[in-house]
Amino acid sequence: MVEMVNRPYERAFEAYAVAHPEVLCLSADLTSSCEIDKFRDNHPEQFLSLGMAEQNMLSFAGGLGMAGFRPFLHTFGVFLYRRPYDQLMASVAYPRRKVRLMGFLPGVTTPGGMTHQAIEDIAVMRSIPNMTILETGDATEVESICEAADSIDGPVYCRVLRGSVPRLFDTPIEVGRMRELALGYDVLIVTAGITTEEALRARGALEAKGVSIRHLHLNTIKPFDAQALLDHIGAVKSGVVTLENHVTEGGIGSLVAEVMADNGVGKRLVRLGLKDTYAHGGSRPYLMKYYALDATALVAGVEKLLAQKLGITEDDLVGARVEAVHSNVKAEGL
Amino acid sequence: MTRPNAKTTEEIALGIRRRVFEHAMRNNGGYLSQACSAAEQLAWLYNEALELGAPTLPMVPEPFGGVPSFDNPTYRTGAGYNGPARSDLDRLFIAPAHYALVAYATLIEVRRMAPEGLEMFNKDGSSVEMIGAEHSPGMEVHNGTLGIGFSTAAGLAWARKRKKETGKTWVFMSDGEVQEGQTWEAIQCAAHHGIDNLYAIMDVNRQQCDGAMSSVMEVGDIKTKMENFGAAVVSIDGHKLDEMRDAVQTKHKGKPLIILANTSPFRGMPTLQRRFPRLHYVRFKSENERAEMNHDIARALGVEPIDYGRAH
């Protein structure tokens, strides 16, 4: 059973911000929900409440960036780009302000439905010139996200996990470098964020059925090292399966597809994720099962790629993690 | 402060209208009405209200130098026409970027840009863009979509206050911007955070793209609304310089100061009234109208009609 880490962002942000006084903590009325309430109480001089007014917050942050501050904006991912998209473009992205957009509750990691689920954020952010995109997949990546984001010479959008987060890795994020989690030769699996844990659950069962898995975890989605991906694709026989906590349009499945198409790679690709659909509210395990984003769905994706049934059952998937909808480590339901 | 050895603010305002008129005649149209309403405000800002250092960019604007990107590290904004970004100096954002023609005319009148700069207006490859961009003379940020300017200025002003900089941060705004919700977000934010080194002057000409604001979206009593959102507000006649000079002295501790400059969109060019309520961008409907306007406005401004030849 993997180690679970409670509220890793809370400690990580405080440690980083205290050491870097030019970092400012901005909140849009989701302070405890984004694990910065203790920071607000302990370091009020470095904290700015911007209220439920995201359009102003994005442009205001642009103004702070002009003066050499590096604001970290904390709210749910959707609220960083859907409502204030124009302000994001004009005040942050175009002028390359060093604004760090810390987007919590990526994809289906929220019991709130469509209004809270950032399911197309990667697609949106990928299309914005000058934007960097990072995604956290475990507690270690959450612990290193502040330093990674703040190393970017320009704006950066981060998909941040909160609450009880598993520790899967023991090294921090290295911006631009994908994690090579398995180096098999039959199928390449590409995951990011919470889907990496699902792939780890599925991998053992797949290997037990004789399928050799190569597994990459992406924490840097833009910019992207296409050559490294091509090398891995070249090393497997049958093709690629991507699994993402996002719609399959414009996310990491599209990213892999673009790299393959641009380079004339004639291998099969199965893209798993939300299929041109919104989700509704519910627990993460429920939503991941309902929308086919979990280990079982990944096994089915590999079977589709290989055009054969492997006879893997739910019981074969190791380390199932069951989390209460309203965990004690969350400040509130949302 | 009033600069010695320079034109008076009244002369600069007249010069702005003359330059914009000349440009509009030669190009068969332009933002004439904005020059009518805003000439005194921009003349006053540049000639009296703002503390600006000497320009840091060439008087004749350089061509468009590409957009900001990792691969274009030499990118620069047009802020250098307002002087250097020094802690003791003021900064100005032109929030309604379609006032760019009027702003460029002002830069020329106050000798921060060469007259040739206006000849590059809206020409392909030029930085003197029709809708002022970050890299256009006198601009420092993109404000082409309305409502962004005051928020950005609030962030900059907060940061400058934190850094104990003495320079003020100013915004030239337009009244149509109060239709955007972001304006109200920004005012309540600036008031909440006590950002009192933030100043705005708003051209309240009651006009917007589709016509008179009263017909497009009535906004009511702007002064009361702004005060309720936490700003210190002074309403003045936007063509009277003494009222501007008095207004800016208003005490506003802990609050941004917003000067509502109530203006006429025909000021100095009364014949434009014939085009009411479509004044946003005046394009002449016929050669006859162009000739008439040329004659009438020239007379009102005290200049000879423009010899625009066959150019369109």
Side-chain angles (χ1 to χ4, degrees):
Chain A
M1 189 68 188
V2 295
E3 176 199 358
M4 299 302 293
V5 182
N6 287 341
R7 296 170 71 89
Y9 188 81
E10 177 176 83
R11 290 184 300 283
F13 180 74
E14 182 170 28
Y16 189 79
V18 167
H20 297 87
E22 63 285 358
V23 164
L24 296 172
C25 180
L26 271 59
S27 178
D29 195 41
L30 288 167
T31 304
S32 63
S33 301
C34 297
E35 301 183 4
I36 47 171
D37 45 335
K38 281 189 185 162
F39 185 85
R40 171 196 61 199
D41 298 343
N42 294 340
H43 309 282
E45 74 293 342
Q46 221 171 326
F47 178 88
L48 266 167
S49 173
L50 271 294
M52 288 186 284
E54 291 82 7
Q55 298 178 32
N56 175 63
M57 179 166 71
L58 269 290
S59 294
F60 191 93
L64 295 174
M66 289 178 77
F69 286 101
R70 299 197 301 281
F72 279 58
L73 275 55
H74 298 85
T75 184
F76 298 161
V78 273
F79 304 144
L80 288 169
Y81 70 95
R82 273 193 195 157
R83 184 181 298 246
Y85 184 66
D86 187 34
Q87 289 81 1
L88 171 64
M89 290 294 254
S91 304
V92 174
Y94 181 93
R96 298 181 73 228
R97 303 281 180 238
K98 291 180 182 176
V99 173
R100 286 66 173 97
L101 306 162
M102 309 312 272
F104 290 76
L105 303 185
V108 298
T109 61
T110 163
M114 179 276 286
T115 53
H116 288 59
Q117 290 165 335
I119 60 166
E120 84 295 11
D121 52 340
I122 294 173
V124 171
M125 294 291 179
R126 278 189 69 212
S127 67
I128 297 179
N130 295 337
M131 186 62 69
T132 293
I133 308 169
L134 305 179
E135 176 160 21
T136 59
D138 87 325
T140 301
E141 294 196 335
V142 173
E143 287 163 356
S144 54
I145 192 67
C146 294
E147 183 161 10
D150 210 27
S151 72
I152 304 297
D153 181 18
V156 53
Y157 174 74
C158 304
R159 296 182 117 203
V160 187
L161 300 176
R162 68 164 201 191
S164 183
V165 183
R167 187 179 301 287
L168 307 177
F169 313 124
D170 55 10
T171 57
I173 291 174
E174 280 183 69
V175 174
R177 182 161 184 170
M178 55 187 71
R179 291 186 193 271
E180 299 167 348
L181 302 181
L183 293 174
Y185 48 84
D186 283 332
V187 175
L188 174 64
I189 292 174
V190 181
T191 58
I194 60 169
T195 62
T196 293
E197 188 186 1
E198 297 302 314
L200 293 175
R201 291 176 60 209
R203 242 169 55 192
L206 290 165
E207 297 273 0
K209 296 291 180 183
V211 183
S212 174
I213 299 294
R214 185 169 287 248
H215 181 196
L216 300 175
H217 167 77
L218 309 181
N219 50 39
T220 310
I221 294 167
K222 187 184 174 188
F224 187 72
D225 185 355
Q227 188 55 52
L229 177 69
L230 286 167
D231 291 345
H232 286 292
I233 297 172
V236 295
K237 270 197 309 225
S238 299
V240 189
V241 180
T242 60
L243 174 62
E244 58 191 310
N245 176 26
H246 187 272
V247 291
T248 50
E249 295 78 15
I252 65 169
S254 288
L255 175 58
V256 171
E258 290 164 20
V259 171
M260 292 174 75
D262 285 347
N263 292 278
V265 175
K267 283 184 177 159
R268 294 200 63 201
L269 170 65
V270 173
R271 292 181 295 146
L272 304 175
L274 291 166
K275 290 290 187 188
D276 193 26
T277 182
Y278 298 100
H280 75 133
S283 75
R284 175 172 140 186
Y286 161 79
L287 293 172
M288 291 188 81
K289 188 172 184 61
Y290 189 86
Y291 290 101
L293 307 174
D294 62 0
T296 304
L298 183 58
V299 169
V302 172
E303 287 179 334
K304 183 179 174 190
L305 182 81
L306 298 174
Q308 68 175 96
K309 290 290 179 190
L310 297 168
I312 295 172
T313 66
E314 289 269 343
D315 294 339
D316 298 325
L317 301 171
V318 292
R321 180 162 70 85
V322 178
E323 189 182 2
V325 174
H326 296 288
S327 159
N328 287 335
V329 298
K330 291 180 197 163
E332 59 198 70
L334 292 180
Chain B
M1 66 184 237
T2 307
R3 267 90 177 154
N5 308 317
K7 287 178 277 193
T8 66
T9 306
E10 289 86 348
E11 287 168 340
I12 290 169
L14 179 59
I16 291 169
R17 290 193 177 93
R18 285 174 171 172
R19 286 188 190 278
V20 171
F21 161 65
E22 179 183 350
H23 180 90
M25 277 301 145
R26 290 194 191 287
N27 293 277
N28 196 28
Y31 294 95
L32 277 172
S33 169
Q34 289 80 356
C36 292
S37 59
E40 278 81 11
Q41 294 162 70
L42 286 164
W44 173 73
L45 282 169
Y46 273 95
N47 202 45
E48 300 186 27
L50 298 173
E51 281 294 343
L52 302 173
T56 62
L57 291 172
M59 294 294 277
V60 177
E62 291 178 340
F64 170 63
V67 297
S69 76
F70 187 75
D71 301 327
N72 187 13
T74 58
Y75 173 83
R76 63 186 175 202
T77 73
Y81 288 89
N82 293 344
R86 222 170 63 196
S87 64
D88 60 321
L89 296 176
D90 295 340
R91 304 272 272 276
L92 171 68
F93 295 156
I94 306 288
H98 62 280
Y99 277 68
L101 177 60
V102 192
Y104 301 145
T106 309
L107 288 177
I108 295 169
E109 284 296 308
V110 297
R111 299 180 187 278
R112 290 180 172 272
M113 183 171 79
E116 295 92 307
L118 212 49
E119 291 164 23
M120 302 170 181
F121 181 83
N122 201 21
K123 296 280 195 293
D124 288 345
S126 160
S127 61
V128 189
E129 296 191 11
M130 181 175 85
I131 304 293
E134 271 204 352
H135 45 263
S136 299
M139 311 294 167
E140 187 166 9
V141 291
H142 265 114
N143 281 311
T145 50
L146 299 174
I148 286 178
F150 196 72
S151 289
T152 313
L156 177 64
W158 184 94
R160 299 188 74 189
K161 199 171 172 180
R162 166 63 65 96
K163 293 165 79 174
K164 305 202 184 314
E165 295 191 4
T166 54
K168 299 180 179 75
T169 302
W170 272 89
V171 194
F172 170 76
M173 300 177 74
S174 55
D175 53 354
E177 287 184 87
V178 304
Q179 289 175 354
E180 295 279 4
Q182 186 179 6
T183 297
W184 305 102
E185 294 183 359
I187 293 173
Q188 71 187 6
C189 166
H192 178 78
H193 290 289
I195 306 173
D196 51 13
N197 55 340
L198 174 60
Y199 293 74
I201 186 163
M202 176 178 278
D203 182 17
V204 185
N205 61 15
R206 304 281 177 187
Q207 294 297 304
Q208 61 187 115
C209 190
D210 270 7
M213 283 177 67
S214 57
S215 68
V216 181
M217 177 69 82
E218 177 56 55
V219 296
D221 180 352
I222 298 174
K223 181 171 187 289
T224 301
K225 286 164 80 172
M226 285 183 168
E227 286 170 343
N228 287 344
F229 275 77
V233 189
V234 188
S235 186
I236 63 163
D237 181 327
H239 300 299
K240 291 187 174 167
L241 295 170
D242 280 341
E243 293 195 18
M244 283 175 210
R245 292 166 184 142
D246 289 343
V248 78
Q249 302 302 325
T250 305
K251 298 269 187 287
H252 58 106
K253 189 173 171 53
K255 299 174 171 197
L257 177 63
I258 302 176
I259 300 170
L260 299 179
N262 296 285
T263 60
S264 158
F266 330 117
R267 180 76 171 200
M269 308 183 197
T271 194
L272 274 184
Q273 194 153 5
R274 296 194 325 214
R275 296 295 296 265
F276 183 84
R278 299 303 300 269
L279 293 163
H280 183 73
Y281 184 98
V282 174
R283 191 182 300 284
F284 305 117
K285 289 171 180 165
S286 65
E287 279 304 316
N288 269 353
E289 186 188 50
R290 189 181 185 183
E292 272 183 58
M293 288 269 188
N294 190 17
H295 176 267
D296 292 352
I297 297 174
R299 193 169 59 181
L301 292 176
V303 291
E304 290 296 311
I306 305 302
D307 177 15
Y308 49 79
R310 290 175 301 279
H312 278 265

